[in-house]
Amino acid sequence: MVDVTLWSGLRPLADHQEVVHVEARTIRELLRKLAERYPGLRDPIRGQVAVAVDGVIFRDDWSQELPEDAEVMLIRRIPGG
Amino acid sequence: MSFDSAYQSRKFNSVGTRPLRPDGVDKVTGRARYGADFNMPGQLVARVLRSPHAHARIKSIDTTRAASLKGVKAVVTAADLPDLTDGDASLFAILDNCMARTKAMYDGHAVAAVAAIDEKTAKAALKLIAVDYEVLPHVVDVDEATRPEAPVLNETVFTQGVEPAPTTPSNVANRSEFGHGDIAAGFAQADVIVERSYKTEQTHQGYIEPHACVANCSPDGTADLWVCTQGHFVFRQTCSDLLGLEVSKLRVTSSEIGGGFGGKTHVWAEPVALALSRKAGRPVKLVMSRAEVFRASGPTSATSIDVKIGAGKDGTITAASATLRYSNGPYADMWAELGAMTSFACYDLENVKTVGLEVLVNRPKVAAYRAPSAPMAAFAVESAMDELAAKIGMDAVDLRIKNVAKEGSRSSYGPVYGPIGIGPTLEAAKAHPHMSAPLRKNQGRGMACGFWFNFGGQTCTDLNVNADGTVSLAVGTVDVGGSRASLSLIAAEELGIPYEDVKAVVSDTATLGYNDMTDGSRGTFSTSMATISAARNAIEVMRKRAALMWEIPPEDVYWEDGHAHAAGTRHGNRAPLSVKEIAAEAANTGGPVAGHSELVADGAGVSFATHICDIEVDPETGSSRVVRYTVIQDAGKAVHPAYVEGQYQGGAAQGIGWALNEEYIYGEDGRLQNPGFLDYRIPVCSDLPMIDTQILEIPNPNHPYGVRGVGETSIVPPLAAIANAVSKAVGVRMTHIPISPPRILAALSDDKGS
């Protein structure tokens, strides 16, 4: 079980919750279950989100495992220059 | 990811040396082929008709006379680029920016294009295109655009991110918010509060090479595009999406690149060139002029930022807040959001809140510019930090060290930091001789910190061992800052062969798997990871080939110091086999030797820098001169230190230009007044001192060699460092970038008056 913090822009799409509890062992499982629970998150998850796990930002590596009690946050996928 | 990217301490032989770059001779002798150097037999010349109005409805476009001009082979308008974006707002913005559909949204917005047998004919044809405009009120200033009386650019835009949802359209497209704690309580605890507003003007990336491409569409549905870009695979995808092409049928080849800095991560003219070629049935070359580059491609945001920081008498910050308004051009994006995320990222704050507002204005569509949006936010915050230090009576570096973010700090944008390098850069700055060097009359010293995220991404690499033991390395990330040299060093290191035996090339989109762009400081970080992986795969092949040559089991062969060794004593005293020896026998041991890698490079790790600069100001003229400049930044591991230093110096140079001179100047009519390097002045060598660098090497735990991206962070601190230096030199707080001579004189005059 991880507590996922959503950035402010996502909260209206997830019943205005800032933190969501999800039973997930990987980023892939986490994002799938979030999209199932909150269909409004499907579009942002497809290309707009990155996942910070204990401070390390993962954009594409959805196989990353989520350690027990890890701090997990969805943040915007950022562009670079 | 199957590849183990964890850092492992090791002794390096090639990495960390400074060999000559493989592309150097071609570049200094003029043989290197840039975007405009490519030509096809029978190619046509394209020219684009651009709006002279900042905001105008396109009532009609009559291309009849242009199309009938002798020598004209195709004329296109938005009608030739039908909307295939399927509700994707971001993609639609790219399409509309490439060719205006119903309204021209800024001075220079493309409305039509012509392909003709030569430039003279193409230009003549543009004059025959009749566009009936209904000129609309415009707004170009970021603050004016937020006022209720401002003309609304897009009636379908209602501010997102606020509740209840607004019922009237607005130029503020989105509101984002970050932070934690209770800022009201934090400010109530403060002994000292600094509160000030800042502005920065719009600047261009200023790459020397204008956008250029050759498009060649075949009647069989295939197409080729030769283009100057930071990411040919991404250009392939975007152009395919916009033109309805199958991705595999569009082959994109990247040229050498004369600077990009984020501006060449976006398509501008390429879809237009493809549309012209498709219509004409011939190759089409499109090269933007310098004026077109300024008017219609890639500037960064203009900004207006309010900052408030409160602290106790001991310097501990009790609360910090900022409201950041960033111009987006006519299309909503996330530029202010990035400013809001990065603004206080250097500090460990209990109470912090930032709000970003994306503002639509009648200016070109904003593009990424090296650590996009972070320099302006850092300018505002780091200026306020200096003022706070002065009010408390504390040294500016000490105030920052007192509040510096470290492992375990909650970042202002959300996550808790792992190991980070801002503290060591500040300690290095404090100890640097530059900080204690004497200053002369009219000189001031400033320092500032900066943050950028960095990222990795999808990466694919092929490594081929040739029959003579030399190695061809095929990568898919465009070499913007010397990555072919760095990646050759990496391959040499991993294989245990000389750097000179490796030749790295950038492959086209048909010959290698997908690669993300060279952006986000990812080129060397990501592709070095893929190169290490490919080299290790090739080593595994060579280990098995050595076993065949020796006729022993492969498990009895191990690889060390660039050679295959027979393990133990069972196989006699066999001399180790080198890469050359194994390669020479490849034909009879199974054929070509190669290693491939495809991976996602994640875990780039965030990046920090601290800069110090001395400025001398002539109070009579307001002219200023940078007399000394020092960059301190963590590289994780500097693969080719000379190019790491080059990135540090380049970022500082661009930041110096941004801070002191560069700005888009618009007339009352909303037209850009200075679309050229004579009137938009970037720094030249004679404007700059030698920029000193100090590379810190704190290994990145998520890269086998500890490498960290270095391309962007160096542009974040200069605006603030220079503003702090000038403010000290003249005794007046400078709050408006660029700090040009007229602004310095005005500030001095206002100060005397008050």
Side-chain angles (χ1 to χ4, degrees):
Chain A
M1 177 73 82
V2 290
D3 291 342
V4 190
T5 305
L6 310 180
W7 86 77
S8 59
L10 287 185
R11 292 171 200 162
L13 305 173
D15 293 344
H16 297 276
Q17 294 186 80
E18 182 177 352
V19 179
V20 180
H21 306 284
V22 182
E23 187 77 47
R25 285 170 300 174
T26 64
I27 289 177
R28 179 175 290 100
E29 188 178 3
L30 166 73
L31 296 179
R32 174 173 58 78
K33 288 183 173 174
L34 277 175
E36 285 169 0
R37 197 182 306 174
Y38 305 110
L41 290 177
R42 274 188 191 141
D43 279 347
I45 284 173
R46 200 176 299 124
Q48 292 177 27
V49 305
V51 184
V53 181
D54 288 333
V56 179
I57 298 170
F58 295 91
R59 287 163 39 108
D60 301 301
D61 185 8
W62 286 10
S63 299
Q64 184 67 32
E65 292 188 3
L66 303 174
E68 197 70 27
D69 300 325
E71 185 199 60
V72 180
M73 305 186 90
L74 296 198
I75 65 172
R76 280 288 293 263
R77 191 182 168 93
I78 55 163
Chain B
M1 185 166 61
S2 57
F3 176 68
D4 180 10
S5 62
Y7 170 69
Q8 290 181 313
S9 179
R10 61 186 285 163
K11 181 179 172 296
F12 292 107
N13 294 313
S14 297
V15 166
T17 62
R18 299 169 180 248
L20 291 175
R21 63 194 301 159
D23 46 318
V25 170
D26 279 356
K27 283 182 173 170
V28 299
T29 56
R31 276 190 290 242
R33 299 226 293 175
Y34 290 88
D37 294 327
F38 192 84
N39 294 293
M40 287 276 291
Q43 77 187 12
L44 304 172
V45 177
R47 283 291 177 272
V48 177
L49 185 67
R50 299 184 180 278
S51 168
H53 306 295
H55 195 193
R57 195 175 314 283
I58 300 169
K59 294 164 73 176
S60 66
I61 303 179
D62 184 352
T63 61
T64 316
R65 290 179 64 210
S68 60
L69 183 68
K70 187 179 179 187
V72 171
K73 301 298 179 186
V75 183
V76 298
T77 65
D80 298 280
L81 286 160
D83 181 6
L84 306 174
T85 60
D86 194 25
D88 183 331
S90 174
L91 195 59
F92 180 80
I94 296 170
L95 175 69
D96 194 59
N97 189 51
C98 286
M99 191 63 76
R101 308 186 78 74
T102 57
K103 286 206 296 184
M105 301 302 288
Y106 57 90
D107 165 46
H109 198 166
V111 294
V114 167
I117 54 169
D118 55 30
E119 183 174 346
K120 186 180 171 190
T121 308
K123 282 182 172 175
L126 291 187
K127 291 181 178 169
L128 298 176
I129 298 174
V131 185
D132 187 7
Y133 292 106
E134 176 193 349
V135 178
L136 301 169
H138 66 271
V139 60
V140 296
D141 182 80
V142 65
D143 284 324
E144 286 178 19
T146 64
R147 293 191 181 120
E149 66 272 20
V152 173
L153 269 69
N154 186 336
E155 297 286 340
T156 68
V157 171
F158 297 80
T159 309
Q160 293 190 339
V162 292
E163 294 198 6
T167 54
T168 53
S170 169
N171 291 328
V172 179
N174 191 51
R175 179 189 185 279
S176 55
E177 183 179 321
F178 298 89
H180 53 261
D182 180 343
I183 58 165
F187 283 122
Q189 292 168 20
D191 297 314
V192 180
I193 290 178
V194 168
E195 189 168 13
R196 206 181 268 282
S197 297
Y198 305 86
K199 287 199 86 159
T200 69
E201 294 301 329
Q202 187 156 39
T203 56
H204 196 273
Q205 294 85 344
Y207 32 82
I208 300 302
E209 184 192 6
H211 299 277
C213 67
V214 176
N216 185 25
C217 291
S218 167
D220 66 4
T222 62
D224 279 282
L225 182 69
W226 295 267
V227 61
C228 177
T229 171
Q230 286 177 247
H232 44 318
F233 290 90
V234 174
F235 271 37
R236 177 183 64 170
Q237 186 67 53
T238 307
C239 289
S240 298
D241 289 344
L242 294 180
L243 283 110
L245 298 169
E246 284 181 36
V247 171
S248 64
K249 291 183 178 173
L250 174 58
R251 182 180 187 177
V252 183
T253 305
S254 62
S255 68
E256 292 287 353
I257 181 168
F261 315 112
K264 289 173 184 166
T265 61
H266 310 250
V267 299
W268 309 101
E270 297 78 9
V272 175
L274 283 162
L276 283 167
S277 175
R278 183 164 63 182
K279 197 164 184 178
R282 283 172 62 171
V284 170
K285 183 170 184 173
L286 200 164
V287 181
M288 288 170 77
S289 68
R290 179 63 57 191
E292 287 179 297
V293 169
F294 273 110
R295 288 173 73 203
S297 79
T300 186
S301 302
T303 73
S304 163
I305 303 173
D306 308 325
V307 174
K308 184 177 178 184
I309 307 178
K313 284 177 187 162
D314 69 343
T316 303
I317 294 174
T318 57
S321 67
T323 300
L324 307 98
R325 293 165 287 272
Y326 278 50
S327 70
N328 281 217
Y331 311 102
D333 213 311
M334 61 175 297
W335 306 115
E337 188 167 352
L338 288 172
M341 291 173 85
T342 59
S343 48
F344 288 107
C346 293
Y347 301 110
D348 182 3
L349 304 173
E350 271 190 39
N351 306 296
V352 59
K353 178 182 173 183
T354 58
V355 172
L357 300 171
E358 314 294 348
V359 183
L360 305 187
V361 295
N362 293 113
R363 294 187 182 219
K365 184 179 192 291
V366 163
Y369 180 12
R370 211 169 185 167
S373 299
M376 306 83 120
F379 158 62
V381 167
E382 292 293 289
S383 294
M385 286 293 285
D386 246 39
E387 226 177 323
L388 185 67
K391 270 195 169 181
I392 294 172
M394 222 174 150
D395 175 76
V397 181
D398 288 339
L399 175 70
R400 288 167 171 89
I401 290 174
K402 176 108 187 154
N403 294 284
V404 73
K406 46 196 160 301
E407 185 170 2
S409 300
R410 180 163 299 286
S411 67
S412 55
Y413 59 89
V416 170
Y417 286 124
I420 53 173
I422 176 68
T425 69
L426 277 164
E427 296 291 350
K430 190 172 170 63
H432 199 284
H434 186 167
M435 282 306 290
S436 52
L439 289 167
R440 294 181 182 171
K441 190 183 174 190
N442 295 325
Q443 292 185 350
R445 174 167 300 141
M447 56 79 55
C449 300
F451 162 90
W452 182 243
F453 291 101
N454 287 358
F455 53 77
Q458 298 183 69
T459 314
C460 186
T461 296
D462 274 341
L463 186 149
N464 292 293
V465 180
N466 303 310
D468 61 357
T470 61
V471 167
S472 303
L473 180 65
V475 302
T477 41
V478 172
D479 180 356
V480 179
S483 62
R484 277 169 293 188
S486 301
L487 298 170
S488 296
L489 282 170
I490 293 275
E493 182 74 50
E494 199 62 35
L495 294 169
I497 60 176
Y499 164 81
E500 293 74 18
D501 283 358
V502 183
K503 173 74 174 172
V505 297
V506 180
S507 294
D508 65 60
T509 59
T511 52
L512 197 62
Y514 177 84
N515 279 262
D516 282 332
M517 291 184 285
T518 302
D519 67 342
S521 301
R522 73 173 289 275
T524 296
F525 168 77
S526 301
T527 309
S528 67
M529 208 183 282
T531 299
I532 291 168
S533 170
R536 289 180 184 174
N537 290 335
I539 286 170
E540 184 58 17
V541 172
M542 287 191 285
R543 200 177 59 80
K544 290 174 180 166
R545 300 297 180 86
L548 286 172
M549 290 167 69
W550 281 329
E551 298 183 42
I552 66 175
E555 55 269 25
D556 288 351
V557 179
Y558 67 95
W559 192 268
E560 192 175 275
D561 295 332
H563 290 77
H565 297 260
T569 55
R570 278 193 301 145
H571 305 300
N573 186 25
R574 295 177 189 273
L577 288 171
S578 68
V579 173
K580 281 189 192 309
E581 289 167 317
I582 297 168
E585 296 297 318
N588 301 115
T589 57
V593 173
H596 173 78
S597 172
E598 73 275 335
L599 52 77
V600 163
D602 252 331
V606 293
S607 171
F608 296 90
T610 297
H611 290 199
I612 314 163
C613 81
D614 298 347
I615 304 271
E616 183 171 309
V617 178
D618 179 350
E620 298 295 319
T621 63
S623 167
S624 59
R625 186 169 63 91
V626 182
V627 292
R628 186 170 180 182
Y629 202 102
T630 303
V631 177
I632 303 164
Q633 188 176 322
D634 175 21
K637 176 65 195 174
V639 178
H640 192 307
Y643 297 145
V644 173
E645 289 162 1
Q647 290 290 340
Y648 290 5
Q649 292 165 327
Q654 285 190 304
I656 289 167
W658 192 343
L660 292 176
N661 285 309
E662 297 176 36
E663 81 178 286
Y664 269 44
I665 297 171
Y666 280 88
E668 287 296 316
D669 56 2
R671 298 188 69 179
L672 184 61
Q673 301 294 298
N674 58 336
F677 280 141
L678 281 177
D679 297 317
Y680 178 100
R681 196 171 183 285
I682 63 172
V684 296
C685 288
S686 56
D687 293 322
L688 299 172
M690 181 64 191
I691 294 168
D692 296 325
T693 58
Q694 185 174 348
I695 300 172
L696 304 185
E697 293 190 325
I698 303 163
N700 178 359
N702 299 311
H703 185 283
Y705 291 2
V707 171
R708 210 178 280 285
V710 296
E712 296 173 289
T713 309
S714 55
I715 201 172
V716 183
L719 278 62
I722 288 165
N724 288 337
V726 175
S727 298
K728 283 175 185 153
V730 301
V732 183
R733 174 52 55 182
M734 303 304 297
T735 60
H736 195 159
I737 294 279
I739 307 170
S740 53
R743 287 209 178 95
I744 290 176
L745 286 180
L748 287 170
S749 170
D750 289 350
D751 191 48
K752 279 180 193 162
S754 63

